[in-house]
Amino acid sequence: MRSFLLVIALAGIISCTKHSRALPPGIDRDLPSFNIQLLDTTVKFNTAKIPKGQPVVLFFFGPDCPYCQAFTREITQRMSELKNVRFYMATMADFKEIHFYDTLFKLDKYKNITIGKDVSGFFFTYYKAPGFPYLAIYDKKKEFKQIVIGGVGVDSLKKVINS
């Protein structure tokens, strides 16, 4: 009887511990360091400078992608729910297209959104991104949580961030 109770107690303890998610092949647990060339076309922001303390969403997008546009629109409309999330939006498009996208969604008014160009093609090589939208989500410790590919909404994003 004691061994049965011991097994039940151990099972309860094990089931209450947090299990880590398996990492996709080739992706490290920690947020990778790479450069995003900002809209002024001279400053390169390195992701190593992202401070800990808030969830991080790396958002690889295409300015002409309707799913990216819909998601960006929803982010800006629901920013009050996402004000504690840092968004780093990167694309390989021309700066003219990036500026248009930035202006279209008035992204410069959000302090938690950084937008720029992935000049080295980092997303394609590191994440093996098949297209966009492509989100790499990290927790407030800058540790990997999940990848989301394709159309997504704010509610789905919040579930991942809060899990």
Side-chain angles (χ1 to χ4, degrees), residues 7 28 34 38-39 52 55 73 77 96 105 116 122 149:
V7 169
D28 294 326
F34 69 99
L38 302 182
L39 292 180
K52 291 181 180 180
R73 188 173 296 106
Q77 290 170 348
K96 183 178 177 182
F105 294 105
F122 180 82
I149 303 170

Side-chain angles (χ1 to χ4, degrees), residues 86-138:
R86 295 177 188 269
F87 290 91
Y88 295 89
M89 299 177 65
T91 184
M92 293 180 67
D94 294 328
F95 277 105
K96 183 178 177 182
E97 294 176 82
I98 302 169
H99 277 285
F100 179 78
Y101 198 87
D102 180 60
T103 303
L104 177 65
F105 294 105
K106 300 175 178 65
L107 299 177
D108 60 332
K109 74 178 190 177
Y110 302 103
K111 295 183 189 276
N112 60 329
I113 296 179
T114 300
I115 185 172
K117 185 169 183 163
D118 177 13
V119 290
S120 67
F122 180 82
F123 271 89
F124 280 121
T125 56
Y126 184 79
Y127 290 105
K128 298 169 186 61
F132 31 72
Y134 187 100
L135 306 176
I137 304 165
Y138 291 82

Side-chain angles (χ1 to χ4, degrees), residues 3-158:
S3 61
F4 178 72
L5 289 174
L6 181 61
V7 169
I8 297 294
L10 285 174
I13 291 170
I14 290 170
S15 68
C16 291
T17 60
K18 186 176 181 180
H19 297 282
S20 61
R21 290 189 177 106
L23 289 167
I27 295 179
D28 294 326
R29 176 149 315 281
D30 296 326
L31 183 98
S33 173
F34 69 99
N35 288 325
I36 298 171
Q37 192 166 5
L38 302 182
L39 292 180
D40 68 0
T41 71
T42 57
V43 175
K44 290 183 180 176
F45 175 81
N46 191 285
T47 56
K49 294 180 182 178
I50 298 173
K52 291 181 180 180
Q54 292 180 316
V56 173
V57 176
L58 302 178
F59 178 9
F60 183 56
F61 74 101
D64 58 350
C65 166
Y67 301 107
C68 299
Q69 292 173 5
F71 184 56
T72 303
R73 188 173 296 106
E74 189 178 2
I75 288 171
T76 58
Q77 290 170 348
R78 297 179 63 183
M79 187 53 78
S80 62
E81 301 169 53
L82 300 167
K83 62 184 175 220
N84 294 323
V85 178
R86 295 177 188 269
F87 290 91
Y88 295 89
M89 299 177 65
T91 184
M92 293 180 67
D94 294 328
F95 277 105
K96 183 178 177 182
E97 294 176 82
I98 302 169
H99 277 285
F100 179 78
Y101 198 87
D102 180 60
T103 303
L104 177 65
F105 294 105
K106 300 175 178 65
L107 299 177
D108 60 332
K109 74 178 190 177
Y110 302 103
K111 295 183 189 276
N112 60 329
I113 296 179
T114 300
I115 185 172
K117 185 169 183 163
D118 177 13
V119 290
S120 67
F122 180 82
F123 271 89
F124 280 121
T125 56
Y126 184 79
Y127 290 105
K128 298 169 186 61
F132 31 72
Y134 187 100
L135 306 176
I137 304 165
Y138 291 82
D139 66 14
K140 62 184 178 182
K141 296 177 188 174
K142 294 176 29 173
E143 292 179 355
F144 177 82
K145 286 199 80 142
Q146 189 171 331
I147 288 174
V148 178
I149 303 170
V152 66
V154 167
D155 291 330
S156 300
L157 176 63
K158 286 172 56 178

